[in-house]
Amino acid sequence: MKVVKFGGSSLASATQLEKVLNIVKSDLERKFIIVSAPGKRNSKDTKVTDALIKYYKHYISEKDVTEDQKWIIQRYQDIANDLHLDNRVMEKIQKAVLSLATLPITDNSFLYDTFLAAGEDNNAKLIAQYFNQNGINALYMHPKKAGIKVTSDPGNAQIIPSSYDRLEKLSDLEEVIVIPGFFGVTQDGQICTFSRGGSDITGSIVAAGVKADLYENFTDVDGIFAAHPGIIDNPNSITELTYREMRELAYAGFTVLHDEALIPAYRGHIPLVIKNTNNPSHPGTRIVLNHSKEQQPVVGISADDGFTSINLSKYLMNREIGFGRKVLQILEDLNISFEHMPTGIDDMSIIIRDRELTPIKEEEILRQLTHKIEVDKAEIERNLSILMVVGENMMSHIGVTAKAASALSENNINIEMISQGSSEVSILFVIRTEQKNDAIKALYNAFFQ
Amino acid sequence: MKVVKFGGSSLASATQLEKVLNIVKSDLERKFIIVSAPGKRNSKDTKVTDALIKYYKHYISEKDVTEDQKWIIQRYQDIANDLHLDNRVMEKIQKAVLSLATLPITDNSFLYDTFLAAGEDNNAKLIAQYFNQNGINALYMHPKKAGIKVTSDPGNAQIIPSSYDRLEKLSDLEEVIVIPGFFGVTQDGQICTFSRGGSDITGSIVAAGVKADLYENFTDVDGIFAAHPGIIDNPNSITELTYREMRELAYAGFTVLHDEALIPAYRGHIPLVIKNTNNPSHPGTRIVLNHSKEQQPVVGISADDGFTSINLSKYLMNREIGFGRKVLQILEDLNISFEHMPTGIDDMSIIIRDRELTPIKEEEILRQLTHKIEVDKAEIERNLSILMVVGENMMSHIGVTAKAASALSENNINIEMISQGSSEVSILFVIRTEQKNDAIKALYNAFFQ
């Protein structure tokens, strides 16, 4: 049995929904369908979710919301008309959209989440109706009924583990179940949304709950590329990735799937496939626990900007028990998360995301390093990018590091720092951001051409 | 003005002392002479220091010490005879050696240090006498008189900073001052020795105190080699090293100078030269604050055995603020000093010296990692060596990492981990110990042949 998630661009129009129908019909194992809100039909279009945000803002500032309501309802109506849907579903959707503007504004910390979730929720109703009119015995199911219980953290809901047991019971149902993605329901019955990439999370949770054989994530690309197509022309698409590889790639710039979304599927040992709604015969990229056969050593190259390094040195640093811990304690006390910590003998670099470092925090870190830990030197280095060469099979191939470092040096790219841990799923280079694109090209040419 | 330290092998016999005399006489700037105890005259000989340890052990277990005393006195007597020294100095030495066996055994935490220090102390008396009989106006000076005040940590004395001010006044004296190395005197007037390499520390302290222009450290090699001569045949000797390079090399197996000995000279901005008593015209290796001219990118390659890695992984590790700090806290609570911490995205390796990890501590670390920090996986990896490619000029040469990694991979050496921080004084590779010698050869050939 398969859990299938469709992204917003796959659900943006009647034409797209016809593809979705065919995909679901073509495989009887596709029993759970997780849907996003309708996405953009073209580059100038507005996403339903963005329209809901506007509607919410007007509503809480007590402005006229009639136009907002009309636009949103019409968006669903257009699709319903094109698909010749029974009018009863549009009556339900219309009522749901209008009723948002009757919810209490004050002391309602879930209001924003409730507005947002309406995009997915109404789309699920529409799609279930469409399926039923076209030969699929489908059942729309609200997350409350499905049993997706979450914590009361608006915009950042966490699944409550008992949900998995309730979800498991759904496997007995005969219908194809259509569940809106992106949100769950709190103990008090409030709508509460997941963080970004939320429909992916719902799919991942449902897949783990019903113990699916496969979680199919339909998007608008033929899977995951070995390097960013904005930098490399027609990069190879990856046939198979492990969860660990996916996570390493996602860390540095690969945003096809939000990495948090992977956790339930990963923990539930559910393999995942990323496929293209517009090209469903393409095998896509499978994400698995362990590679099925011998792979090449490097599966992908990713890079991300926006890193800063705190570089410090102190003579005989490594003789001082607790030195590293004290440095990290300073960061933790300032609520700063660090990414990496390459060390020399008397020096240490702490790599963090730019956004972690406000000017006040920066000053405080330098002050504490100098006065509390008495470093000989401390400085901040900005405009760094992290470059990752990823592949689980690296460990069985001597020379991947040499090949990567040579490719960089031959292209005059200076390696600022390197960190390669024992896992050897990746080698991490820190480079200057202005050399990033050249670095990706150099590595892609070395490993994939 | 120069501070000159002579090691034990440079002071082992009359022949050696004649060389020392000529070295001191040949340069009027050589005003402070720091001496070790007489070393071995040949490979089967006993060091005076080792004889003193035996003497101490027999004394505290109330055995007969006559033979020990006789051997030690005779050792100095032989030198004195060969050099035709005035007998009064031997009377003083004899008295000093015999009087050790009158010191209180109980409640005397400085007894061992006092025995040990006698090797240097008596040698300083002998050498001052020899200098005076041969045209050098020399003055033996006990560390107490010189003002070398230290903390009361037997075997691990730390200099008390006010010592530097007292030492500075010695620059006014006209004589060549001969000071025994290896020990200072506590506030209570007790003899207290430095840690290993102690005469080097005295030299370094005196050089910093008297603000010497140069600290000359005479030993029995023509300076520092670019790689271990036991592994590489006739390796290049290094002309100039910075303190930072020396420290990086010393970290992993280069033991010409004990790195702690470098601190006072480094902090006092005193350049240091390592020279050969048996070949004083050889320029030796200068250790300076900054390179005097453009150097090649790599100055040396060192390696050290006896490392263990604690490898751990946890999904979404880097999202958890304080994760790294908590791991290091576990180590610190167990009084374990860590060396390096290369990281991937969801994994981290903590490299420590083998000696830090007793079986009980190992079990405790794994227990806490699994239960307190809930890592997905934790394992211990042994028999690792650290390989360092060192050179301050690396940072201006793109491609050093590539060259090093290529040399290793071409010789089938698997790189287990890498850490290269922002300082770029060194690149650190972790490899399996059984591949160490091959790795050094590969790197030496790549950078020095």
Side-chain angles (χ1 to χ4, degrees):
Chain A
M1 176 236 304
K2 297 175 183 171
V3 170
V4 191
K5 179 254 169 181
F6 291 97
S9 65
S10 306
L11 307 168
S13 65
T15 320
Q16 290 301 89
L17 283 178
E18 280 163 21
K19 294 177 189 167
V20 167
L21 178 78
N22 289 329
I23 289 167
V24 176
K25 277 181 113 166
S26 69
D27 185 346
L28 293 177
E29 291 295 306
R30 290 173 173 145
K31 280 272 300 187
F32 291 89
I33 315 299
I34 315 300
V35 302
S36 301
K40 291 184 185 184
R41 288 159 293 189
N42 56 59
S43 61
K44 288 185 185 155
D45 200 8
T46 302
K47 287 183 183 179
V48 167
T49 304
D50 291 332
L52 285 161
I53 292 174
K54 222 170 115 195
Y55 177 17
Y56 164 80
K57 285 183 179 163
H58 288 159
Y59 176 58
I60 57 163
S61 50
E62 294 177 19
K63 288 186 180 141
D64 182 23
V65 293
T66 322
E67 285 304 311
D68 297 311
Q69 293 172 331
K70 234 159 89 181
W71 190 94
I72 294 162
I73 293 162
Q74 191 57 47
R75 185 77 180 76
Y76 289 104
Q77 186 70 61
D78 288 347
I79 300 173
N81 292 345
D82 289 348
L83 297 173
H84 314 292
L85 297 191
D86 185 307
N87 209 41
R88 276 171 299 175
V89 70
M90 274 315 300
E91 281 166 18
K92 284 183 201 160
I93 290 173
Q94 182 168 2
K95 204 175 139 192
V97 172
L98 295 175
S99 73
L100 288 170
T102 63
L103 295 170
I105 292 176
T106 50
D107 295 329
N108 184 358
S109 33
F110 298 95
L111 185 63
Y112 183 70
D113 289 34
T114 308
F115 267 75
L116 244 59
E120 277 74 9
D121 194 33
N122 290 309
N123 213 23
K125 293 173 199 161
L126 185 147
I127 290 163
Q129 177 64 30
Y130 172 51
F131 283 3
N132 275 316
Q133 287 184 223
N134 289 278
I136 300 174
N137 180 17
L139 180 67
Y140 154 77
M141 189 173 282
H142 191 276
K144 183 170 183 175
K145 187 151 180 228
I148 303 176
K149 278 261 163 64
V150 297
T151 59
S152 294
D153 298 310
N156 191 29
Q158 305 292 319
I159 187 77
I160 291 172
S162 60
S163 306
Y164 292 115
D165 298 333
R166 280 190 298 274
L167 281 164
E168 199 180 350
K169 292 182 189 133
L170 302 183
S171 359
D172 301 334
L173 296 174
E174 285 195 2
E175 294 93 340
V176 167
I177 313 293
V178 182
I179 303 175
F182 190 36
F183 69 98
V185 177
T186 68
Q187 297 285 51
D188 301 334
Q190 299 281 2
I191 300 293
C192 193
T193 63
F194 298 117
S195 62
R196 280 182 56 181
S199 288
D200 290 331
I201 299 187
T202 303
S204 185
I205 288 168
V206 173
V210 303
K211 300 199 169 73
D213 300 309
L214 184 64
Y215 170 26
E216 294 181 310
N217 195 301
F218 277 87
T219 170
D220 53 6
V221 288
D222 284 341
I224 296 175
F225 297 114
H228 197 290
I231 298 164
I232 305 295
D233 286 337
N234 294 317
N236 292 357
S237 104
I238 304 171
T239 313
E240 184 181 271
L241 274 180
T242 65
Y243 273 101
R244 297 169 77 206
E245 289 168 343
M246 176 68 210
R247 167 98 177 102
E248 306 262 337
L249 289 170
Y251 171 77
F254 274 49
T255 47
V256 174
L257 254 192
H258 197 252
D259 57 3
E260 215 169 287
L262 295 174
I263 305 176
Y266 168 75
R267 297 237 163 103
H269 292 201
I270 313 292
L272 185 157
V273 63
I274 294 169
K275 286 178 73 84
N276 190 350
T277 304
N278 307 312
N279 187 17
S281 62
H282 191 286
T285 302
R286 284 178 68 87
I287 302 177
V288 296
L289 288 169
N290 298 298
H291 276 304
S292 52
K293 54 184 167 60
E294 189 65 16
Q295 293 281 118
Q296 50 180 346
V298 172
V299 299
I301 290 149
S302 64
D304 203 10
D305 304 337
F307 291 91
T308 288
S309 176
I310 304 166
N311 301 330
L312 50 101
S313 59
K314 183 176 184 181
Y315 202 64
L316 290 182
M317 178 188 283
N318 71 327
R319 294 284 188 86
E320 213 174 296
I321 286 190
F323 182 86
R325 196 269 309 158
K326 284 180 215 158
V327 172
L328 297 186
Q329 185 75 59
I330 291 177
L331 297 187
E332 189 180 346
D333 291 347
L334 291 166
N335 206 29
I336 291 171
S337 165
F338 84 100
E339 304 287 317
H340 299 283
M341 196 173 103
T343 44
I345 305 305
D346 287 335
D347 57 90
M348 173 184 280
S349 297
I350 299 154
I351 300 168
I352 60 178
R353 298 247 181 205
D354 287 349
R355 58 170 185 261
E356 301 278 334
L357 205 63
T358 61
I360 288 174
K361 287 188 180 181
E362 175 176 335
E363 206 186 301
E364 185 59 23
I365 287 172
L366 292 177
R367 199 188 62 74
Q368 292 198 28
L369 287 173
T370 311
H371 293 98
K372 275 172 68 171
I373 311 200
E374 296 181 323
V375 299
D376 295 335
K377 204 177 84 178
E379 60 178 29
I380 306 280
E381 190 179 355
R382 296 181 182 281
N383 297 320
L384 298 175
S385 289
I386 278 183
L387 192 61
M388 309 266 301
V389 178
V390 176
E392 293 240 21
N393 276 330
M394 258 186 218
M395 53 203 308
S396 56
H397 288 75
I398 284 178
V400 173
T401 307
K403 198 169 175 181
S406 300
L408 293 175
S409 81
E410 279 157 19
N411 287 278
N412 284 314
I413 290 146
N414 197 23
I415 300 167
E416 301 281 319
M417 302 169 215
I418 306 181
S419 188
Q420 179 186 331
S422 59
S423 78
E424 294 189 44
V425 185
S426 65
I427 309 165
L428 182 154
F429 297 98
V430 180
I431 57 169
R432 305 225 40 94
T433 297
E434 69 260 26
Q435 297 200 295
K436 185 188 73 169
N437 287 3
D438 288 346
I440 291 175
K441 282 176 198 157
L443 291 175
Y444 187 84
N445 289 337
F447 288 104
F448 294 99
Q449 296 280 304
Chain B
M1 176 237 305
K2 296 175 184 172
V3 170
V4 192
K5 179 257 171 180
F6 291 97
S9 65
S10 305
L11 306 167
S13 66
T15 322
Q16 290 301 86
L17 282 178
E18 280 163 20
K19 294 177 189 167
V20 168
L21 179 78
N22 289 329
I23 289 167
V24 176
K25 276 180 112 166
S26 70
D27 185 345
L28 294 176
E29 292 293 309
R30 289 173 173 144
K31 281 273 299 189
F32 291 89
I33 314 299
I34 316 301
V35 302
S36 302
K40 292 183 184 184
R41 288 159 295 189
N42 54 61
S43 62
K44 288 182 185 158
D45 200 7
T46 302
K47 286 182 182 179
V48 167
T49 303
D50 291 333
L52 285 161
I53 292 173
K54 222 168 116 195
Y55 177 16
Y56 163 81
K57 286 183 178 165
H58 288 158
Y59 177 57
I60 58 164
S61 49
E62 295 179 18
K63 288 186 180 142
D64 182 22
V65 294
T66 323
E67 284 306 311
D68 296 312
Q69 293 172 331
K70 236 159 88 179
W71 190 93
I72 293 163
I73 293 162
Q74 191 60 45
R75 186 75 179 75
Y76 288 104
Q77 187 71 60
D78 288 347
I79 300 173
N81 290 347
D82 289 347
L83 297 172
H84 314 292
L85 299 191
D86 185 308
N87 210 39
R88 276 172 301 178
V89 71
M90 273 315 299
E91 281 165 20
K92 282 183 203 162
I93 291 172
Q94 184 168 1
K95 206 177 137 190
V97 172
L98 295 176
S99 74
L100 288 170
T102 63
L103 295 169
I105 293 175
T106 51
D107 295 330
N108 184 356
S109 36
F110 298 95
L111 186 63
Y112 182 71
D113 289 33
T114 308
F115 267 75
L116 243 59
E120 276 75 8
D121 194 33
N122 290 307
N123 213 22
K125 293 172 199 164
L126 186 148
I127 289 163
Q129 176 64 29
Y130 172 53
F131 282 3
N132 274 316
Q133 285 183 226
N134 290 277
I136 299 174
N137 181 18
L139 181 65
Y140 155 79
M141 190 172 284
H142 191 274
K144 183 172 183 174
K145 190 155 176 222
I148 303 176
K149 279 260 164 64
V150 296
T151 58
S152 294
D153 298 311
N156 192 29
Q158 304 292 320
I159 189 76
I160 291 172
S162 61
S163 305
Y164 293 114
D165 298 333
R166 282 189 299 273
L167 281 165
E168 197 179 352
K169 292 184 187 128
L170 300 182
S171 2
D172 301 333
L173 296 174
E174 285 195 358
E175 293 94 339
V176 168
I177 312 294
V178 182
I179 303 175
F182 189 36
F183 68 98
V185 177
T186 68
Q187 297 285 51
D188 301 334
Q190 297 283 1
I191 301 293
C192 194
T193 62
F194 297 116
S195 62
R196 281 183 55 180
S199 288
D200 290 332
I201 299 187
T202 303
S204 185
I205 288 168
V206 173
V210 304
K211 301 198 167 74
D213 301 309
L214 184 64
Y215 170 26
E216 294 181 310
N217 195 301
F218 278 86
T219 171
D220 52 4
V221 287
D222 285 340
I224 295 174
F225 297 113
H228 198 291
I231 297 165
I232 304 296
D233 286 337
N234 294 315
N236 292 358
S237 105
I238 304 171
T239 313
E240 186 182 89
L241 274 180
T242 64
Y243 273 100
R244 297 170 76 206
E245 289 169 342
M246 176 68 209
R247 167 98 176 101
E248 306 262 337
L249 289 169
Y251 171 77
F254 274 48
T255 48
V256 174
L257 256 192
H258 196 251
D259 58 3
E260 214 168 288
L262 296 173
I263 306 176
Y266 168 75
R267 296 237 163 105
H269 291 201
I270 315 292
L272 184 158
V273 63
I274 293 168
K275 285 178 73 85
N276 190 349
T277 304
N278 306 312
N279 187 17
S281 63
H282 190 287
T285 302
R286 285 177 67 87
I287 302 177
V288 296
L289 287 169
N290 298 300
H291 276 303
S292 51
K293 56 182 165 56
E294 188 66 16
Q295 294 280 117
Q296 49 179 348
V298 173
V299 298
I301 290 148
S302 64
D304 203 8
D305 304 336
F307 290 91
T308 288
S309 176
I310 304 166
N311 301 331
L312 49 100
S313 58
K314 183 177 184 181
Y315 201 67
L316 290 182
M317 177 187 285
N318 72 327
R319 294 282 188 85
E320 213 175 296
I321 287 190
F323 183 86
R325 196 269 308 155
K326 284 179 216 158
V327 172
L328 296 186
Q329 185 76 59
I330 291 177
L331 297 186
E332 189 180 347
D333 291 346
L334 290 166
N335 206 30
I336 291 171
S337 166
F338 83 99
E339 304 287 318
H340 299 283
M341 196 173 104
T343 42
I345 304 307
D346 287 335
D347 57 271
M348 172 184 281
S349 297
I350 300 155
I351 300 167
I352 60 178
R353 298 244 181 209
D354 287 349
R355 59 168 183 263
E356 302 278 335
L357 205 63
T358 60
I360 288 174
K361 286 188 179 181
E362 175 177 334
E363 205 187 302
E364 185 58 24
I365 287 171
L366 292 177
R367 199 188 61 77
Q368 293 197 27
L369 287 173
T370 311
H371 293 98
K372 275 172 66 172
I373 311 201
E374 297 180 325
V375 298
D376 295 336
K377 204 177 82 176
E379 59 178 29
I380 306 280
E381 190 179 356
R382 295 180 183 282
N383 297 318
L384 298 175
S385 288
I386 277 183
L387 191 62
M388 309 265 301
V389 178
V390 176
E392 294 240 20
N393 277 330
M394 259 185 218
M395 54 203 307
S396 55
H397 288 75
I398 284 177
V400 173
T401 307
K403 198 169 176 181
S406 300
L408 293 175
S409 80
E410 280 158 18
N411 288 276
N412 283 314
I413 290 146
N414 196 23
I415 300 167
E416 301 281 319
M417 301 169 215
I418 306 180
S419 187
Q420 180 187 330
S422 60
S423 79
E424 294 189 47
V425 184
S426 64
I427 309 165
L428 183 154
F429 297 97
V430 179
I431 56 169
R432 305 223 42 94
T433 297
E434 70 260 25
Q435 297 200 295
K436 185 187 74 170
N437 287 4
D438 288 346
I440 291 176
K441 281 176 199 159
L443 291 175
Y444 188 85
N445 288 338
F447 289 103
F448 295 100
Q449 295 279 302

